[in-house]
Amino acid sequence: MDAYSDRIRTLQPSAIREILKFTSYPDVISFAGGNPAPEAFPVKEIKEIMDDIMEHEPVTALQYSVSEGYTPLRDTIKDDLYAKGILNWNNDDVIITAGAQQCMEMTAKVLCNEGETIICEEPSFIGSLNSFRSYNAKLVGVPMDDDGIDPEKLEEALKEHRRTAFIYVIPNFQNPTGRTMSLERRKQVLELAYKYNVHIIEDNPYGDLRFAGDNVPSIRSMDTKGHVIYAGTFSKTVAPGLRVGYMCADKGIISKATCALQVSTVHTSILSQMIVHRFITKYDFKAHLERLQQIYGHKCDLMLTNLKMKMPKSITFTEPDGGLFIWGTLPDGDMDYFVKKAIDSKVAIVTGRAFLVDESKPTLSFRLNYSTPTDEQIERGVDILANVAKTMYK
Amino acid sequence: MDAYSDRIRTLQPSAIREILKFTSYPDVISFAGGNPAPEAFPVKEIKEIMDDIMEHEPVTALQYSVSEGYTPLRDTIKDDLYAKGILNWNNDDVIITAGAQQCMEMTAKVLCNEGETIICEEPSFIGSLNSFRSYNAKLVGVPMDDDGIDPEKLEEALKEHRRTAFIYVIPNFQNPTGRTMSLERRKQVLELAYKYNVHIIEDNPYGDLRFAGDNVPSIRSMDTKGHVIYAGTFSKTVAPGLRVGYMCADKGIISKATCALQVSTVHTSILSQMIVHRFITKYDFKAHLERLQQIYGHKCDLMLTNLKMKMPKSITFTEPDGGLFIWGTLPDGDMDYFVKKAIDSKVAIVTGRAFLVDESKPTLSFRLNYSTPTDEQIERGVDILANVAKTMYK
């Protein structure tokens, strides 16, 4: 017997997660994931913190808690967001979620009726697209260039789709392209949101992982009208297994998101929240972030240097200033064949189609991750990719 | 700016959670919550487990994991459910969730289109009702007697509401009434689900907390057609702050629920899952449950003895065989006034209206929790309640 809801009937597991099953074979080099580098986890510090929690506040860590989140963690995040101009104390609030992914799911639930439109960058993060699909949203992709989403095409989409709930963007080191949206573009996107009276979700999982270039102000820091919902996470900066992220938005939206969270997870694991709070306040979090930036900057540089040296010149790559991903594009031909040949040669990369609104559309691009593999795997993996590519391209 | 979705516009925070804010005052005796007894948390054992995890498998605990849940925990749960006749290895599967609450939210998402009907016992658990409301389901309450939901009225409801997605029941020590559904009734509910081709959610958070009477087989253990979705949790038996529950259903439903979970929390906190797995396999979980049964049996008995001795005879109380709650009913008059007078006298109890499909309907009942207060608070709290009641009833 099955009688699934309309919203869920056609939903499929993430294509990337299917690829990841293949990458668990020990002889496969995976450029397919998006996991933080395991050597970056603060294991010793988290062990100390757990001991301290279980010594002094075990009942707080084990008992039910409030849906909004652990107050000391919320306060710490609010202070940080206020310092960055992202939180306005009078109008805004913060709720703790099970990673930034839950922010996407809850925002779609709170703001988007079935059949309404959500506009996103194309390509974009498949996890978020699937969370929007899970509410039967109509996804509309807008192309990007090196400065981010194309503002003219964004306005065309807003004109055409009058029942748009929000625009979804990842301004810093976008997944999958690694691109950063320019300040000018951020202002244009915000103005268009005002003009067409829609919200923006600003998803910023990688913002603290900048290893090159100058910081660009977040869209929410320029928002004077409460249109922007900001999603952050500790998955890339502390540990994803703990599932701790947060949403900052105007108080009305946070109050509805709190209802949505209360009926789903009741509250985010309080033990996880206490671990994150202690780590970012009782240890040198700034030094920890600098160490992460150093690790990812080095790995990105190593992969790009190898790609430039070894791959055919006709294949191009983005050069990210942070984050976890490089976006490669073939000059022509059959990207699926290239990805398949790479996987046959035991290097897993992700087809660009996984990041499209319509996965059946053609694309010449593919995504490479440099955060999870070791240096040696990066060098050897690019060697293998280059050998595959040289049989196809000059 | 606000433009909430139809499904979320009228959703309100749980009335109980609002009462709980009041109960944080130190001079208030709370019979309003549903928290496990803090003295029942296995603090020493969990501390040992955390040390072991961070010593031997820190990266597993901190890295991303699979959406279905931590495999050793899933396998342990499957073995247990198989032994209870709840899981059929060929047809069924198990997914780990952030508490049983997430099972309710995901089942509504997976099975219920907006505007379709969900039938529940009346009164029923407000957290589940709110999760169904969050998908714009039409809630239909069916009255209960001491043996559980009324089968004739259930059939009337099924006849009247042909677009019913599922029937929601809590067969063991129901929240809020403390009642247990008889074996005969369980069979009748299952037959009606077959006859009208609807699913059943069998929510069993308290099943392991039986301190009197004989075990009654679960509805799912009698289900030969895959109609029943079974929800379990470690919130009442290990620790709710960890947020670990599970869903058992046929493979098709679990596969769709996995998609729904993947786009929301990605996976349940892996650290929490590892803690629960080690606690229930490496320690004497059976002895731990027996200790909990002893604690709750004692507290229930103490509260009932005091209620019978001190309260006016015209006020009646259910006598649960397990779980956390006693359901009181006034002979007549104004229940809201009684609850308000109790709260004014610093004893918090929950109005029965919080558990109705239509909260504006009249009721003479109220819910008492005995798991959280101490023995001394139970005796003093009933003294105070009795003084209030004696001014109103004989």
Side-chain angles (χ1 to χ4, degrees):
Chain A
M1 173 198 193
D2 56 7
Y4 304 127
S5 66
D6 297 335
R7 67 177 83 83
I8 223 81
R9 190 167 296 119
T10 59
L11 194 67
Q12 296 297 325
S14 156
I16 296 176
R17 297 211 147 235
E18 298 307 301
I19 292 171
L20 291 182
K21 286 179 186 167
F22 163 78
T23 64
S24 62
Y25 297 112
D27 59 340
V28 170
I29 295 176
S30 176
F31 297 159
N35 288 4
E39 68 267 29
F41 292 147
V43 171
K44 184 176 77 64
E45 293 84 349
I46 290 179
K47 186 171 188 314
E48 288 171 6
I49 288 167
M50 287 179 178
D51 282 345
D52 182 65
I53 289 170
M54 293 309 288
E55 188 71 35
H56 297 106
E57 292 190 78
V59 173
T60 307
L62 299 176
Q63 189 57 279
Y64 279 115
S65 188
V66 294
S67 298
E68 290 83 350
Y70 181 56
T71 305
L73 178 60
R74 288 174 75 208
D75 288 345
T76 303
I77 291 168
K78 285 185 196 175
D79 286 342
D80 176 59
L81 294 179
Y82 174 72
K84 291 172 176 161
I86 292 170
L87 175 126
N88 174 318
W89 286 106
N90 291 326
N91 302 329
D92 303 334
D93 208 348
V94 164
I95 183 178
I96 309 295
T97 60
Q101 179 76 44
Q102 198 182 19
C103 299
M104 309 314 149
E105 201 264 357
M106 292 199 310
T107 307
K109 186 168 188 175
V110 167
L111 293 180
C112 186
N113 281 312
E114 295 197 23
E116 289 183 354
T117 296
I118 294 172
I119 297 177
C120 58
E121 297 159 326
E122 188 161 50
S124 187
F125 173 48
I126 185 172
S128 298
L129 301 189
N130 277 345
S131 75
F132 306 150
R133 288 179 178 123
S134 81
Y135 286 101
N136 237 343
K138 180 187 168 75
L139 290 184
V140 172
V142 173
M144 310 169 72
D145 60 25
D146 280 344
D147 284 334
I149 196 166
D150 181 321
E152 285 179 23
K153 295 214 166 66
L154 174 58
E155 180 151 20
E156 282 171 26
L158 286 163
K159 273 186 189 158
E160 188 181 337
H161 303 280
R162 287 299 177 141
R163 289 175 63 226
T164 292
F166 54 81
I167 304 164
Y168 171 70
V169 290
I170 311 169
N172 292 318
F173 331 125
Q174 198 238 17
N175 182 355
T177 64
R179 288 175 184 138
T180 295
M181 196 188 294
S182 68
L183 179 60
E184 183 60 25
R185 286 288 169 85
R186 294 178 193 220
K187 289 178 180 169
Q188 289 171 315
V189 171
L190 185 59
E191 284 307 317
L192 288 170
Y194 289 163
K195 183 172 172 184
Y196 291 90
N197 199 32
V198 298
H199 286 94
I200 295 171
I201 304 190
E202 179 176 26
D203 185 9
N204 191 22
Y206 316 113
D208 285 326
L209 301 181
R210 176 180 283 280
F211 45 72
D214 293 327
N215 182 54
V216 186
S218 82
I219 302 175
R220 189 164 221 282
S221 71
M222 300 181 278
D223 174 22
T224 54
K225 299 182 182 177
H227 279 236
V228 183
I229 295 139
Y230 181 93
T233 180
F234 296 98
S235 289
K236 310 302 186 279
T237 55
V238 183
L242 299 174
R243 312 303 310 125
V244 181
Y246 55 91
M247 181 195 287
C248 175
D250 83 50
K251 287 179 180 173
I253 290 174
I254 293 294
S255 129
K256 288 300 184 189
T258 303
C259 292
L261 189 141
Q262 188 169 96
V263 302
S264 169
T265 55
V266 185
H267 60 77
T268 304
S269 161
I270 184 74
L271 174 63
S272 289
Q273 295 188 66
M274 291 172 81
I275 291 171
V276 168
H277 171 251
R278 278 164 169 74
F279 181 69
I280 67 176
T281 57
K282 303 210 183 305
Y283 292 80
D284 190 343
F285 189 47
K286 190 161 165 284
H288 174 75
L289 292 178
E290 286 166 0
R291 184 168 154 261
L292 295 186
Q293 290 151 9
Q294 192 274 327
I295 292 173
Y296 292 127
H298 162 76
K299 289 194 182 198
C300 179
D301 186 58
L302 183 69
M303 185 176 269
L304 273 177
T305 304
N306 274 272
L307 289 168
K308 284 182 195 169
M309 193 162 58
K310 298 169 183 169
M311 293 289 276
K313 295 290 169 256
S314 60
I315 303 178
T316 57
F317 298 95
T318 57
E319 300 191 15
D321 287 340
L324 311 179
F325 304 109
I326 293 170
W327 187 240
T329 304
L330 305 173
D332 51 43
D334 186 340
M335 188 269 307
D336 285 325
Y337 180 77
F338 176 68
V339 170
K340 187 182 174 308
K341 292 293 283 184
I343 289 177
D344 287 348
S345 309
K346 314 258 175 173
V347 176
I349 63 177
V350 183
T351 162
R353 280 193 294 101
F355 307 97
L356 300 182
V357 165
D358 174 1
E359 294 185 13
S360 67
K361 271 205 327 198
T363 171
L364 292 168
S365 295
F366 54 94
R367 190 188 77 174
L368 302 175
N369 165 265
Y370 50 78
S371 61
T372 319
T374 63
D375 286 9
E376 194 266 332
Q377 286 175 321
I378 288 174
E379 299 204 25
R380 201 152 48 83
V382 175
D383 281 341
I384 293 168
L385 273 189
N387 285 338
V388 171
K390 279 174 189 160
T391 67
M392 297 168 67
Y393 301 99
K394 282 186 185 164
Chain B
M1 173 196 196
D2 57 7
Y4 305 126
S5 66
D6 297 336
R7 70 178 80 84
I8 224 80
R9 190 168 297 120
T10 59
L11 194 67
Q12 295 297 326
S14 155
I16 296 176
R17 297 211 148 235
E18 298 307 300
I19 292 170
L20 291 182
K21 286 178 188 168
F22 163 77
T23 63
S24 62
Y25 296 111
D27 58 340
V28 171
I29 296 176
S30 176
F31 297 158
N35 288 3
E39 67 267 29
F41 293 145
V43 171
K44 184 177 77 66
E45 293 83 350
I46 290 179
K47 186 171 189 313
E48 287 171 6
I49 289 168
M50 286 181 180
D51 282 346
D52 182 64
I53 290 171
M54 293 309 288
E55 188 72 35
H56 298 106
E57 291 190 78
V59 173
T60 307
L62 299 176
Q63 189 57 282
Y64 279 116
S65 188
V66 294
S67 298
E68 290 84 350
Y70 181 57
T71 305
L73 178 60
R74 288 174 75 207
D75 288 346
T76 303
I77 292 168
K78 285 185 196 175
D79 286 341
D80 177 59
L81 294 179
Y82 173 71
K84 290 172 177 162
I86 293 171
L87 175 126
N88 173 319
W89 286 106
N90 292 326
N91 303 330
D92 302 334
D93 208 348
V94 164
I95 183 178
I96 309 295
T97 60
Q101 178 75 45
Q102 198 183 18
C103 300
M104 309 314 148
E105 200 265 355
M106 292 198 312
T107 307
K109 186 169 186 174
V110 166
L111 293 180
C112 186
N113 282 312
E114 296 197 22
E116 288 182 356
T117 296
I118 294 172
I119 297 178
C120 59
E121 296 160 326
E122 186 160 54
S124 186
F125 173 48
I126 185 173
S128 298
L129 302 189
N130 278 345
S131 75
F132 306 149
R133 289 179 178 124
S134 81
Y135 286 100
N136 236 344
K138 180 186 168 77
L139 290 184
V140 173
V142 172
M144 310 169 72
D145 60 25
D146 280 344
D147 284 333
I149 196 166
D150 181 320
E152 286 179 22
K153 295 215 166 64
L154 174 58
E155 180 151 21
E156 282 171 26
L158 285 162
K159 273 186 189 158
E160 188 181 338
H161 303 280
R162 288 298 177 142
R163 289 176 62 226
T164 292
F166 54 82
I167 304 163
Y168 171 70
V169 291
I170 310 169
N172 292 318
F173 331 125
Q174 198 237 17
N175 183 356
T177 64
R179 288 175 183 137
T180 295
M181 197 189 295
S182 68
L183 179 60
E184 182 59 26
R185 287 288 169 86
R186 294 178 195 220
K187 289 178 180 169
Q188 289 171 314
V189 170
L190 185 61
E191 284 308 317
L192 288 170
Y194 290 164
K195 182 170 173 186
Y196 292 89
N197 199 31
V198 298
H199 286 95
I200 295 170
I201 304 190
E202 179 175 27
D203 186 10
N204 190 22
Y206 316 112
D208 286 325
L209 302 180
R210 177 181 284 280
F211 46 72
D214 292 328
N215 183 54
V216 186
S218 81
I219 301 175
R220 190 165 219 283
S221 72
M222 300 181 278
D223 175 21
T224 54
K225 300 184 183 177
H227 279 235
V228 182
I229 296 139
Y230 181 92
T233 179
F234 298 98
S235 289
K236 309 302 186 277
T237 55
V238 184
L242 299 174
R243 312 305 307 126
V244 182
Y246 56 90
M247 181 195 290
C248 175
D250 82 48
K251 286 180 180 173
I253 290 174
I254 292 295
S255 130
K256 289 300 184 188
T258 304
C259 291
L261 189 141
Q262 188 169 95
V263 303
S264 170
T265 55
V266 185
H267 61 77
T268 304
S269 161
I270 183 75
L271 174 64
S272 290
Q273 294 187 67
M274 291 172 80
I275 291 170
V276 168
H277 171 252
R278 279 165 170 73
F279 181 69
I280 67 175
T281 57
K282 302 208 184 306
Y283 293 81
D284 189 344
F285 189 47
K286 189 160 167 285
H288 173 75
L289 292 179
E290 285 165 2
R291 185 169 155 260
L292 294 186
Q293 290 151 9
Q294 191 274 325
I295 292 173
Y296 292 128
H298 163 76
K299 288 194 181 198
C300 179
D301 186 58
L302 183 69
M303 186 176 268
L304 273 176
T305 305
N306 273 272
L307 289 168
K308 285 183 195 168
M309 192 164 57
K310 298 170 183 171
M311 293 288 276
K313 295 292 168 254
S314 59
I315 303 178
T316 58
F317 298 95
T318 57
E319 299 191 15
D321 287 339
L324 311 178
F325 304 109
I326 293 169
W327 187 240
T329 303
L330 304 175
D332 50 41
D334 185 341
M335 189 269 306
D336 285 325
Y337 179 77
F338 176 67
V339 171
K340 190 182 172 306
K341 291 295 282 184
I343 289 177
D344 287 348
S345 308
K346 313 259 175 173
V347 176
I349 63 177
V350 183
T351 161
R353 281 194 292 103
F355 307 98
L356 299 183
V357 165
D358 174 0
E359 294 185 13
S360 67
K361 274 204 325 199
T363 172
L364 292 168
S365 297
F366 53 95
R367 190 187 77 174
L368 302 175
N369 164 264
Y370 49 78
S371 62
T372 319
T374 63
D375 286 7
E376 194 267 330
Q377 287 175 321
I378 288 174
E379 301 205 24
R380 200 151 49 84
V382 175
D383 282 341
I384 294 168
L385 273 188
N387 285 338
V388 171
K390 279 172 190 162
T391 66
M392 298 167 65
Y393 301 100
K394 281 184 186 165

